[in-house]
Amino acid sequence: MFNVKSDPLDALLFAVGLRLSQLAKSGDSKFKSLLENRNFTIQMGSEAEQVFRTFAVNNGYFTQTADKTENPTLSITFKDSMTGAKLLAKGDAAAFMVGIQNGDLKMAGDYSLLMWFNQVAKFIVPKVPEPLQPFVEQAKPLIDKATPIAKDLFAKASSFFDKTEKTEKTVQGESKFFNEQNTPTNSTTTDNSVLDNLKEKAVEIKEKAEEKLAEVKHTAEEKFDELKTTAETKIEEGKEKIDELKHTAEEKVVDLKATAEEKAVEIKEKAETKIEDGKEKLDELKHTAEEKVADLKATAEEKVEEVKTTAETKIEDGKEKLDGLKATAEEKVDEVNQQLEAMSGENKEETADNSQPPAMTQSQALEAKHADDEVIAENVKTDAVKNNKSPIINITVTRNA
């Protein structure tokens, strides 16, 4: 897995695979969900440079190998390493589709895995913690400054090794004892010369690299110290600001507390005043109600006395009228009795004149007259019939047939 070539595409694929391996072993549940219950292989590389790497996912596990594989689930072949590195750096599935149309790459197999790769690409670049964002932003100029230096060193090293490789190929292609002009040559001298040149170039590159790295390191340290000092200053300023805000907040709290207490006292006084006013109103209403009740009571008593007096007057008047009626009734009764007595005297004289038996009383005569009448009810006979003084002289009961 660590067999990395000095090829941009192979180096990039190796870095991607290494990052995915780290994520697979981490506790990132979102990334692990992209690996679970999956089993496939993705092969990427370039035929021009014969650079290939294979990513394999097997039920939650991720691995990479620096070679081709038989029957990959998805195969992506770029026309050259630089094109592949550029397309991969974009991390966009749409760029791959455009690349297919432009002939920059060829794909075979399950195209849906391209979408899977697009999903995991979001996890490849680690997120910078928010507190470190300002430091990263300030460190970018240093990185931009160091990048050309590193590229220059890499280009020189690549150029040197390319020349060396060509020299070795030339030496290997030539005869051990004759050169192109067919003249004898000393192979041992040539080999020693090449090795000496390699050593000198290696030492030179190493020294330059160490100088540049020392320079960048020194600059970075200075920048870091500057950033550290700035951060400490900012922290101190922040602390002072916090203390100031805290003090201001405490003062505000005290002011608000005092204001609240004043308001509470004011509200309490107003409430007590309202309560006193309410009590006075209540007493006033109570006194008014008592006066009203007394007036109504006096009026009622007067009305009762008035009604009582009127009733007594009416009763006296009724008694007088009743006595008058009673006297009148007695007079009428006496008058009727006198008439009856007169009538009775006439009947006695008539009976004596006719030599008849002694006359019966009026009641007896009535009973004899109606002796054969049908009796409807025993209680029809009353004292009024039997009483000789009664003005009622005859009662006839007729029953309809």
Side-chain angles (χ1 to χ4, degrees):
M1 183 180 72
F2 294 97
N3 183 18
V4 185
K5 298 180 180 179
S6 61
D7 180 88
L9 179 59
D10 190 56
L12 179 58
L13 289 174
F14 169 75
V16 169
L18 185 63
R19 175 62 177 160
L20 294 179
S21 297
Q22 292 173 346
L23 287 169
K25 296 175 182 178
S26 68
D28 194 326
S29 58
K30 291 184 179 179
F31 180 80
K32 286 187 174 181
S33 65
L34 298 172
L35 304 180
E36 292 176 351
N37 301 320
R38 293 177 180 272
N39 190 358
F40 58 83
T41 54
I42 298 178
Q43 178 182 285
M44 295 185 185
S46 169
E47 289 286 355
E49 288 81 8
Q50 284 297 303
V51 173
F52 290 96
R53 282 197 176 264
T54 301
F55 300 152
V57 174
N58 186 6
N59 295 325
Y61 294 94
F62 177 86
T63 56
Q64 70 163 321
T65 54
D67 54 12
K68 286 186 175 182
T69 184
E70 293 184 2
N71 301 321
T73 311
L74 174 65
S75 174
I76 303 174
T77 305
F78 302 100
K79 70 177 184 179
D80 55 57
S81 293
M82 288 306 299
T83 301
K86 290 178 181 178
L87 289 174
L88 285 172
K90 291 182 178 180
D92 186 7
F96 278 59
M97 295 304 173
V98 174
I100 292 173
Q101 294 176 355
N102 296 337
D104 292 334
L105 63 96
K106 295 179 182 179
M107 289 179 60
D110 187 356
Y111 278 50
S112 66
L113 291 177
L114 187 61
M115 301 306 296
W116 175 89
F117 189 78
N118 190 48
Q119 286 181 310
V120 299
K122 299 175 183 178
F123 295 86
I124 291 174
V125 180
K127 292 183 179 180
V128 178
E130 189 172 347
L132 297 179
Q133 285 287 358
F135 297 98
V136 173
E137 292 297 326
Q138 295 184 35
K140 281 183 179 179
L142 293 176
I143 297 172
D144 294 337
K145 185 177 179 180
T147 301
I149 298 171
K151 286 183 177 179
D152 182 55
L153 291 174
F154 182 77
K156 288 181 178 180
S158 298
S159 175
F160 172 75
F161 284 111
D162 288 341
K163 288 180 180 178
T164 303
E165 187 176 356
K166 288 179 181 179
T167 304
E168 289 177 350
K169 287 181 179 179
T170 303
V171 171
Q172 290 174 0
E174 293 176 350
S175 172
K176 186 176 181 179
F177 303 101
F178 297 91
N179 55 20
E180 290 181 351
Q181 287 74 27
N182 220 10
T183 57
T185 181
N186 191 341
S187 60
T188 305
T189 304
T190 304
D191 292 341
N192 292 333
S193 176
V194 170
L195 289 174
D196 291 338
N197 288 334
L198 283 174
K199 289 179 181 179
E200 290 176 1
K201 287 290 183 181
V203 170
E204 182 182 353
I205 291 170
K206 181 181 178 183
E207 290 175 351
K208 287 183 178 181
E210 287 176 349
E211 290 175 1
K212 292 294 183 181
L213 288 174
E215 182 182 347
V216 171
K217 183 179 178 182
H218 180 69
T219 307
E221 287 176 350
E222 289 180 349
K223 197 67 177 177
F224 180 76
D225 291 337
E226 182 182 347
L227 291 173
K228 184 179 178 182
T229 304
T230 304
E232 289 174 350
T233 304
K234 293 288 184 183
I235 290 169
E236 290 298 325
E237 290 176 357
K239 285 181 179 179
E240 291 176 0
K241 197 70 175 177
I242 290 170
D243 292 337
E244 182 181 349
L245 291 172
K246 184 180 178 182
H247 181 67
T248 305
E250 289 174 351
E251 290 180 350
K252 290 287 185 183
V253 169
V254 172
D255 292 341
L256 289 172
K257 186 178 179 181
T259 305
E261 289 175 352
E262 291 176 0
K263 287 289 184 183
V265 171
E266 182 180 348
I267 291 169
K268 183 180 178 182
E269 291 175 353
K270 287 183 178 180
E272 290 175 350
T273 304
K274 291 288 184 183
I275 290 170
E276 291 298 326
D277 293 342
K279 285 182 179 179
E280 292 177 0
K281 288 285 186 184
L282 185 61
D283 292 338
E284 183 180 347
L285 290 172
K286 183 179 179 182
H287 181 67
T288 304
E290 289 175 349
E291 290 179 351
K292 291 286 186 182
V293 169
D295 292 341
L296 290 172
K297 185 177 179 182
T299 303
E301 289 176 351
E302 290 176 0
K303 287 289 185 182
V304 168
E305 290 297 328
E306 183 181 346
V307 170
K308 183 179 178 182
T309 303
T310 303
E312 289 175 350
T313 303
K314 293 287 187 181
I315 289 170
E316 291 297 329
D317 293 342
K319 284 182 179 181
E320 290 178 358
K321 287 183 179 181
L322 185 60
D323 291 339
L325 290 172
K326 183 178 179 182
T328 303
E330 288 177 351
E331 290 176 358
K332 289 289 185 182
V333 169
D334 291 339
E335 184 180 347
V336 170
N337 286 334
Q338 290 175 3
Q339 290 177 0
L340 288 174
E341 287 177 357
M343 289 176 63
S344 177
E346 290 177 0
N347 288 334
K348 286 179 181 180
E349 291 176 357
E350 185 178 353
T351 302
D353 291 340
N354 293 330
S355 299
Q356 292 180 351
M360 296 182 290
T361 64
Q362 190 173 5
S363 298
Q364 291 172 345
L366 288 173
E367 288 179 0
K369 184 178 178 179
H370 296 283
D372 296 333
D373 291 345
E374 184 179 356
V375 178
I376 297 175
E378 292 293 336
N379 59 356
V380 172
K381 295 180 180 181
T382 64
D383 293 337
V385 177
K386 296 179 180 180
N387 190 354
N388 292 331
K389 296 181 179 182
S390 174
I392 300 172
I393 60 174
N394 189 16
I395 296 176
T396 305
V397 178
T398 304
R399 183 178 66 182
N400 294 329

